[in-house]
Amino acid sequence: MEAPQYVAARVQQALAEDTRTHELGIHVDVRGDQMFLRGKVSGAEQRERLGAVAHEAAPGLRMHNEIKIVDYGEPGEDEHLD
């Protein structure tokens, strides 16, 4: 059986290199047969793509996609800087 840190490294490499994701800021944690994805992305579609790529890289693990979606868009109208 492959050591958890090697599985996590393989998944992180897949997330960084896959043309669908190109994501470097996602933390992958493997514990037993569980894989946890943590980090922040700008949209639900990217979150889903990351989950798909991670699952393909480690299909035998039960994945918990804990990636948070944050809005990197324009500042809101009520934000005033004096």
Side-chain angles (χ1 to χ4, degrees), residues 21-36:
T21 52
H22 285 299
E23 193 70 54
L24 297 171
I26 301 302
H27 178 74
V28 180
D29 188 18
V30 175
R31 295 184 194 160
D33 66 345
Q34 313 279 311
M35 173 172 53
F36 298 86

Side-chain angles (χ1 to χ4, degrees), residues 3 6 11 25 31 34 36 44 48 52 54 60 63 68 75 80:
Y6 295 129
V11 172
R31 295 184 194 160
Q34 313 279 311
F36 298 86
E48 294 306 313
M63 187 181 60
K68 303 223 181 323
H80 299 284

Side-chain angles (χ1 to χ4, degrees), residues 23 40-47 67-73:
E23 193 70 54
K40 295 178 182 175
V41 295
S42 59
E45 288 178 10
Q46 178 70 346
R47 181 182 187 272
I67 297 170
K68 303 223 181 323
I69 299 166
V70 294
D71 185 11
Y72 293 120

Side-chain angles (χ1 to χ4, degrees), residues 2-4 38 41 52 56-57 59 66 76 81:
E2 196 174 6
R38 295 186 182 100
V41 295
E56 289 169 16
E66 298 178 358
L81 300 175

